[in-house]
């Protein structure tokens, strides 16, 4: 756990003094990712660098695990935290192995333990130790280098990670991938992470909580959902963007918006005339066809009209299945592209969980914004 | 032909003078190295001091060698070291300081600040960071400075014969005095060959001590 209490950072003195961080107080809970977000010069990076004493503290206190860091030797403090920076900073004169082994060596671990640890970390960040251990940083791509940067930071298994725009220099496609990988890693490791970013998309994707800074002050500290749906002031709403409703769609999973007990489902062996009756009685225009708990397609009155056999014979297969953890943004995008109005939602085994329509999505968004007016 | 005869007849002396020359040059280079490299590193932490040190070394290097030996004569004479190898070595040390200090300073300064930041952030001590990262990265440039100093010292070392320091300059000095062409050319050739050989050896050393990772980086 990291706690900031009235933290202040002033550069210079007298008339030329510049306050980079001004009276900032908040807590980062154990196992959470908090993204420090804001425009450049807002003090987010300074605050991060104060956390491992790369910058001195002008006022207030920062405590880590309940201890005031003023009382901890900087070198020891830093060894208890991982540090990842945008420029990656792998040592070009050392092999990948030696880069990762840096901190364990400083801590005087024995050889066998270091070797085992480095191998494990490389597998964790999905780089084959056999293939990459003896290579040099310059032989790796930017994305691979930053994976090693993360592995190096995790080497001595610190509880805390400080990350300063770690994925900022990586091209957009690989950035998305490395972010996903990092989130999977974090789901297992549960580190306490302070993460500096100026990218609202990244913040929404990664953060348990977002701390928005402006001119050295903390403007709002909340979960991404609350930041998007209830921005505290114009600065925050401008910063998160006019399309914040669309951004919220990234945060909500299909399972949160879907209809769990849809009425318009038909078993695969339902005869077509019966389906026709179902359509006219319930005045439905389509139905999902289910066989053995799995959706196999859909039927419409036009498809079953004049048919005699089971609906499975005439069902149109779905081009896209929505997985229950898919963000609503992707679901909506599929709907727009395929001009489909209803999708079945499945879990990772392909079992039917519910259905999702445009109305479901809209209803969910409205629900969130209703809190706004309270 | 005349030269070959001269060398044949004075082979022992030629060998001895070469050895003497090497000895003076390398002793001074060694002293300059163990003082210059730490100085170069130390001044990277203090801009104001760096300026002063580099300026002083710069001025020292502009003094012509004959004048330098002349200045040293009255300074060291009270201790009985006015002539001979001692003033020669001292002068060579002073001349070597600039290329060594300057190259060390520049090389350490040029280490990517992101690497220093990453290293500190990982919890490396100042000393450890120097040893593991900054010095290995600076090695090629530091060695280039040593190489410059070594080649320069071989040349200036020839002049030290005038203050009785020995070395291959003896052939040149005495040859001039006696208008003995073969003797002059033998001395001059010896000094030149020595310089070329040392230069190549230092180049090899430079390659040997540069990290594999940096070489790959250089190729890209």
């Amino acid at each position: 756990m990291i706690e900031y209490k009235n933290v202040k950072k002033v550069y210079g003195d007298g008339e030329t003094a510049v306050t980079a961080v001004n009276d900032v107080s908040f807590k980062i809970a154990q196992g959470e990712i908090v993204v420090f977000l804001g425009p450049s010069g807002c003090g987010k990076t300074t605050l991060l660098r104060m956390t491992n004493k790369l910058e001195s503290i002008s006022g207030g206190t920062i405590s880590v695990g309940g201890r005031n860091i003023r009382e901890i030797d900087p070198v020891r403090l830093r060894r208890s935290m991982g540090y990842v920076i945008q420029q990656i900073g792998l040592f070009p004169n050392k092999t990948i192995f030696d880069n990762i082994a840096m901190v364990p060596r400083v801590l005087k671990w024995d050889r066998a333990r270091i070797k085992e640890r480095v191998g494990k970390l490389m597998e964790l960040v999905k780089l084959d130790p056999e293939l990459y251990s003896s290579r040099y940083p310059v032989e790796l791509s930017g994305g691979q280098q930053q994976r090693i940067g993360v592995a190096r930071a995790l080497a001595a298994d610190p509880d805390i990670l400080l990350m300063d725009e770690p994925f900022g220099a990586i091209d957009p496609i690989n950035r998305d991938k490395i972010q996903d990988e990092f989130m999977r890693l974090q789901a297992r490791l549960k580190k306490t992470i302070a993460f500096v970013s100026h990218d609202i998309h990244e913040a929404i994707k990664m953060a348990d909580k977002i701390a928005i800074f402006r001119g050295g002050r903390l403007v709002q500290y909340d979960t991404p959902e609350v930041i998007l749906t209830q921005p505290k002031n114009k600065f925050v709403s401008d910063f998160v963007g006019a399309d914040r409703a669309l951004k919220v769609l990234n945060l909500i999973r299909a399972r949160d918006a879907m209809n769990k007990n849809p009425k318009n489902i038909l078993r695969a062996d339902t005869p077509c005339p019966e389906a026709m009756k179902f359509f006219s009685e319930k005045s439905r225009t389509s139905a999902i066809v289910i066989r053995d708990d799995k959706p196999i397609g859909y039927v419409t009155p036009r498809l079953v009209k004049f048919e005699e056999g089971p609906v499975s014979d005439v069902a149109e297969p779905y081009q896209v299945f929505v997985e229950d953890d898919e963000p609503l943004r992707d679901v909506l995008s599929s709907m727009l592209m395929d001009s489909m109005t209803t999708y079945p939602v499945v879990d990772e085994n392909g079992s039917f969980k519910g259905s999702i329509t445009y109305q479901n999505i809209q209803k969910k968004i409205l629900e969130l914004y209703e809190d706004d007016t309270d | 032909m005349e030269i070959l005869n001269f060398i044949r007849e004075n082979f022992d002396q030629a060998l001895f003078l070469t050895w003497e020359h090497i000895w003076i040059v390398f002793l001074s280079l060694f002293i300059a190295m163990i003082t210059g490299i730490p100085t170069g590193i130390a001044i990277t932490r203090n801009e104001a001091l760096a300026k002063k040190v580099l300026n002083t070394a710069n001025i020292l290097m502009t003094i012509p060698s004959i004048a330098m030996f002349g200045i040293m004569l009255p300074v060291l004479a009270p201790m009985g070291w006015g002539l001979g190898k001692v003033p020669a070595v001292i002068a060579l040390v002073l001349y070597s300081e600039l290329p060594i200090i300057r190259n060390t300073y520049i090389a350490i300064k040029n280490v990517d600040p992101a690497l220093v930041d990453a290293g500190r952030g990982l919890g490396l001590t100042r000393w450890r960071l120097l040893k593991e990262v900054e010095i290995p990265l600076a090695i090629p440039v530091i060695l280039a400075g040593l190489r410059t100093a070594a080649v320069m010292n071989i040349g200036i070392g020839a002049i030290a014969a005038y203050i009785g320091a020995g070395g291959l300059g003896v052939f040149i000095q005495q040859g001039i005095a006696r208008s003995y062409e073969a003797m002059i050319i033998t001395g001059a050739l010896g000094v030149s060959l020595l310089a070329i050989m040392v230069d190549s050896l230092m180049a090899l050393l430079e390659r040997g001590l540069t990290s594999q990772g940096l070489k790959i980086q250089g190729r890209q």
Side-chain angles (χ1 to χ4, degrees):
Chain A
M1 193 196 72
I2 306 171
E3 185 174 4
Y4 300 94
K5 218 171 184 179
N6 309 107
V7 175
K8 204 169 177 173
K9 174 75 190 180
V10 183
Y11 288 108
D13 48 14
E15 300 221 331
T16 57
V18 178
T19 306
V21 174
N22 200 349
D23 198 25
V24 167
S25 302
F26 67 104
K27 275 184 202 174
I28 302 179
Q30 188 77 42
E32 273 192 350
I33 300 185
V34 171
V35 173
F36 297 6
L37 187 67
S40 53
C42 69
K44 56 190 194 297
T45 296
T46 308
L47 188 68
L48 186 86
R49 291 170 60 87
M50 286 161 85
T51 314
N52 64 358
K53 285 174 131 180
L54 285 174
E55 298 283 352
S56 61
I57 302 165
S58 309
T61 54
I62 301 177
S63 28
V64 169
R67 276 186 71 190
N68 186 344
I69 64 168
R70 272 180 210 268
E71 290 154 17
I72 308 174
D73 169 62
V75 167
R76 283 196 52 191
L77 179 74
R78 289 173 199 151
R79 285 177 191 169
S80 70
M81 301 176 172
Y83 185 53
V84 185
I85 56 175
Q86 182 179 4
Q87 305 89 327
I88 306 174
L90 294 184
F91 305 132
N93 57 320
K94 291 182 179 293
T95 60
I96 298 307
F97 184 96
D98 290 340
N99 263 286
I100 301 176
M102 196 76 234
V103 178
R105 277 200 185 126
V106 168
L107 295 173
K108 298 199 166 63
W109 288 17
D110 65 64
R111 248 164 207 255
R113 187 174 169 209
I114 293 176
K115 188 153 190 269
E116 194 201 318
R117 180 67 184 160
V118 173
K120 204 177 140 198
L121 283 164
M122 289 186 73
E123 274 161 24
L124 210 59
V125 297
K126 300 202 159 56
L127 285 172
D128 184 1
E130 295 269 326
L131 219 57
Y132 290 100
S133 279
S134 54
R135 298 218 183 159
Y136 286 92
V138 65
E139 297 174 279
L140 269 57
S141 72
Q144 288 173 327
Q145 286 187 33
Q146 194 53 296
R147 286 188 180 88
I148 298 301
V150 171
R152 181 175 65 174
L154 290 170
D157 203 15
D159 291 330
I160 294 170
L161 275 185
L162 306 180
M163 309 181 85
D164 190 358
E165 302 203 24
F167 311 132
I170 295 163
D171 65 275
I173 295 167
N174 279 309
R175 187 190 309 150
D176 223 40
K177 229 170 96 185
I178 199 171
Q179 284 168 345
D180 290 338
E181 275 173 26
F182 184 75
M183 290 310 284
R184 273 196 289 275
L185 205 64
Q186 166 65 0
R188 279 168 64 187
L189 301 176
K190 301 250 186 293
K191 302 289 181 193
T192 304
I193 299 173
F195 188 115
V196 166
S197 178
H198 64 259
D199 177 0
I200 175 78
H201 294 280
E202 184 173 59
I204 291 167
K205 186 168 174 181
M206 317 281 290
D208 290 306
K209 280 188 177 160
I210 297 176
I212 295 193
F213 292 90
R214 182 198 195 182
R217 285 183 183 278
L218 179 65
V219 182
Q220 189 169 6
Y221 181 52
D222 253 313
T223 60
E225 286 89 343
V226 175
I227 297 259
L228 286 172
T229 57
Q230 304 160 50
K232 205 167 182 178
N233 55 28
K234 191 167 178 309
F235 171 76
V236 177
S237 68
D238 283 352
F239 195 81
V240 298
D243 60 342
R244 57 199 174 93
L246 289 177
K247 284 173 181 138
V248 171
L249 291 175
N250 261 337
L251 287 171
I252 307 167
R253 309 279 160 186
R255 75 168 79 86
D256 300 323
M258 71 182 181
N259 181 355
K260 291 194 179 72
N261 298 301
K263 300 283 183 290
N264 56 335
I265 52 175
L266 291 170
R267 284 167 43 129
D269 56 3
T270 313
C272 283
E274 212 170 293
M276 203 56 218
K277 221 171 89 193
F278 166 85
F279 284 132
S280 54
E281 274 174 14
K282 310 260 175 172
S283 62
R284 299 268 177 186
T285 55
S286 80
I288 300 165
V289 180
I290 307 274
R291 176 191 284 146
D292 301 333
D293 201 28
K294 293 184 167 57
I296 56 166
Y298 66 93
V299 288
T300 59
R302 196 177 53 79
L303 286 168
V304 296
K305 213 173 181 179
F306 313 125
E307 296 288 341
E308 293 298 329
V311 287
S312 55
D313 288 356
V314 294
E316 283 281 340
Y318 282 108
Q319 303 299 322
V320 180
F321 290 97
V322 173
E323 288 216 12
D324 56 0
D325 63 350
E326 206 170 304
L328 289 188
R329 187 189 171 93
D330 296 359
V331 180
L332 192 62
S333 170
S334 302
M335 284 177 178
L336 293 170
M337 299 232 292
D338 301 349
S339 66
M340 291 280 295
T341 50
T342 309
Y343 278 114
V345 179
V346 295
D347 63 13
E348 70 259 46
N349 304 317
S351 297
F352 184 73
K353 287 288 153 193
S355 71
I356 191 160
T357 63
Y358 177 74
Q359 281 75 21
N360 294 141
I361 294 175
Q362 195 177 33
K363 196 173 140 233
K364 186 72 195 172
I365 299 292
L366 287 176
E367 260 173 43
L368 283 168
Y369 280 93
E370 261 160 34
D371 300 342
D372 212 348
T373 51
D374 286 348
Chain B
M1 212 56 232
E2 211 189 329
I3 299 163
L4 285 180
N5 278 334
F6 176 82
I7 296 174
R8 203 175 300 134
E9 281 159 26
N10 300 281
F11 190 71
D12 283 351
Q13 198 196 357
L15 216 58
F16 174 75
L17 290 179
T18 307
W19 164 245
E20 204 169 38
H21 207 105
I22 293 174
W23 192 84
I24 294 170
V25 166
F26 277 86
L27 176 67
S28 44
L29 197 65
F30 179 74
I31 296 172
M33 188 177 85
I34 58 171
T35 51
I37 294 178
T39 308
I41 294 171
I43 60 174
T44 56
R45 314 271 189 249
N46 186 336
E47 268 324 300
L49 186 65
K51 226 172 175 174
K52 276 181 207 148
V53 170
L54 289 174
N55 273 336
T56 311
N58 230 333
I59 290 167
L60 280 174
M61 212 165 142
T62 57
I63 302 174
S65 44
I66 280 285
M68 177 83 94
F69 293 133
I71 296 165
M72 241 165 262
L73 196 69
V75 177
L76 295 175
M79 288 165 273
W81 292 338
L83 293 170
K85 292 196 171 53
V86 175
V89 169
I90 292 177
L92 291 184
V93 168
L94 291 178
Y95 280 123
S96 312
E97 293 287 2
L98 179 68
I100 295 174
I101 294 177
R102 186 188 51 201
N103 278 36
T104 307
Y105 171 78
I106 291 173
I108 298 282
K109 273 270 162 186
N110 275 351
V111 171
D112 183 355
L115 296 179
V116 177
D117 194 52
R120 289 180 66 208
L122 288 174
L124 299 188
T125 56
R126 268 260 160 250
W127 166 241
R128 190 86 189 210
L129 191 63
L130 262 177
K131 190 183 115 194
E132 303 269 2
V133 183
E134 291 173 289
I135 293 177
L137 292 179
I139 277 280
V141 179
I142 295 177
L143 282 176
L146 279 171
R147 191 170 152 193
T148 309
V151 172
M152 194 179 67
N153 276 2
I154 290 171
I156 298 173
I159 299 169
Y162 283 93
I163 54 164
L168 285 165
V170 170
F171 276 161
I172 301 174
Q173 179 215 351
Q174 291 181 4
I176 290 171
R178 294 184 217 165
S179 300
Y180 188 174
E181 210 170 291
M183 197 177 193
I184 302 174
I185 293 173
T186 304
L189 271 180
V191 171
S192 309
L193 281 176
L194 196 60
I196 292 167
M197 272 163 49
V198 167
D199 191 53
S200 326
L201 277 175
M202 296 288 278
L204 276 179
L205 190 70
E206 212 173 296
R207 246 193 293 163
L209 287 180
T210 302
S211 148
Q212 192 62 31
L214 294 184
K215 282 189 222 161
I216 299 168
Q217 198 167 25
R219 259 183 259 138
Q220 286 182 351

